[in-house]
Amino acid sequence: MIHFAAVAARYPRQPSLALDGVTLGAPAGQITAVVGPNGSGKSTLVRALLGRIPLERGRITIDGEDVAALAPRDRARRVAVVPQRESAAFPLPVRELVAFGRHPHRGGFAAWGEADDAAVRQAVEAAGVAHLADRSSDELSGGEWQRVRIARALAQRAGTLVLDEPTTFLDIAHEMSVFELLAALARDGIAVLLVSHQLNLVARFAGQIVLLDHGTVAAAGTPDDVMRGDILERVYEWPVVVTRDPAVGAPSLVPLRGRRG
């Protein structure tokens, strides 16, 4: 489980806090989704977890241990992260890129073993990129590259998976397949912390939603608790209607034409 306790963080030379007292937990066995407008602090949460932005106060723990006290390799064994932005430094076969996910489990001179082969094979199959395994990374589309990055994270076999906008560039079928995959991982006991703009998909799949606004928690709870018209209109500053998804009964957001007032 990842837990953010009253976390506050500020980017260098910025007068205001990017995160201001954020508390949330991502327990094993469910998808916890972090949503909010652009600039609300969603991606900053991931950067804080990775140690790329210092905390002014508060604490981030993984299974009860302070992230700041964990060595990078230990942190990577416990949490696999798919960041929002990333590009390959130079072309590599997809299989080799996914194999990088095994690095936290191997010492500098450890031999590649059967467990590593199995982890990579299962990861590319789960992410739907097995047919791309021998292709070079510079031949991939944007959507294919996204799924390869998810496969690499799965190869880590960490107890917690953190993803920042993982369905960017994906078409409807692949977008749904990613959410179905995350739901299956959660059912298998993985803690999934997901940053996403896709409110309607999040409402279908997440057990808990945390809505950020200007670095603070504006609402948190079940999809029914958070996906309310009055809350969403206030945070997103746009008129909306919240209905029910006819397929699964989850709350569903419909933005209206034109701004009121």
Side-chain angles (χ1 to χ4, degrees):
M1 174 177 181
I2 294 179
H3 189 252
F4 292 76
V7 168
R10 185 192 316 268
Y11 287 104
R13 298 178 297 279
Q14 295 300 311
S16 59
L17 292 167
L19 298 173
D20 189 0
V22 172
T23 295
L24 67 91
Q30 77 168 23
I31 296 174
T32 299
V34 180
V35 302
N38 293 334
S40 60
K42 303 185 301 298
S43 294
T44 304
L45 278 177
V46 179
R47 296 188 185 105
L49 172 64
L50 294 174
R52 293 177 181 169
I53 178 172
L55 302 188
E56 290 205 357
R57 61 180 183 270
R59 190 166 178 250
I60 304 173
T61 58
I62 302 173
D63 298 330
E65 293 193 52
D66 196 319
V67 167
L70 292 174
R73 185 183 295 272
D74 290 334
R75 189 184 310 180
R77 286 172 177 165
R78 298 175 186 223
V79 181
V81 179
V82 181
Q84 186 179 48
R85 296 182 182 90
E86 179 186 8
S87 58
F90 47 84
L92 283 175
V94 164
R95 196 186 314 275
E96 290 186 30
L97 281 166
V98 176
F100 285 158
R102 300 302 301 157
H103 180 70
H105 300 279
R106 304 171 63 242
F109 300 99
W112 186 267
E114 292 183 5
D116 299 306
D117 274 330
V120 170
R121 182 175 61 254
Q122 292 169 11
V124 296
E125 290 173 354
V129 295
H131 65 293
L132 303 173
D134 297 318
R135 189 178 297 182
S136 175
S137 59
D138 61 352
E139 299 172 354
L140 301 177
S141 69
E144 289 168 341
W145 172 239
Q146 286 290 83
R147 287 183 285 142
V148 167
R149 297 198 305 135
I150 293 171
R152 183 187 58 200
L154 295 180
Q156 285 181 235
R157 290 192 172 175
T160 301
L161 180 61
V162 178
L163 309 100
D164 190 356
E165 300 289 356
T167 59
T168 302
F169 304 120
L170 299 188
D171 59 33
I172 293 172
H174 288 119
E175 188 175 54
M176 284 296 297
S177 70
V178 166
F179 272 88
E180 293 284 6
L181 170 60
L182 298 181
L185 293 170
R187 287 194 297 271
D188 288 340
I190 298 293
V192 179
L193 179 61
L194 168 70
V195 172
S196 180
H197 279 293
Q198 301 288 4
L199 283 171
N200 289 338
L201 282 177
V202 160
R204 277 189 172 197
F205 289 93
Q208 175 184 214
I209 297 177
V210 179
L211 175 63
L212 295 185
D213 183 27
H214 294 95
T216 65
V217 177
T222 67
D224 282 322
D225 294 330
V226 177
M227 293 281 287
R228 290 172 36 194
D230 57 333
I231 294 174
L232 298 179
E233 282 198 358
R234 172 172 51 82
V235 171
Y236 286 93
E237 299 180 349
W238 195 266
V240 302
V241 170
V242 177
T243 62
R244 307 302 298 188
D245 185 323
V248 295
S252 181
L253 170 69
V254 180
L256 299 179
R257 290 279 307 271
R259 188 190 298 271
R260 290 203 296 264

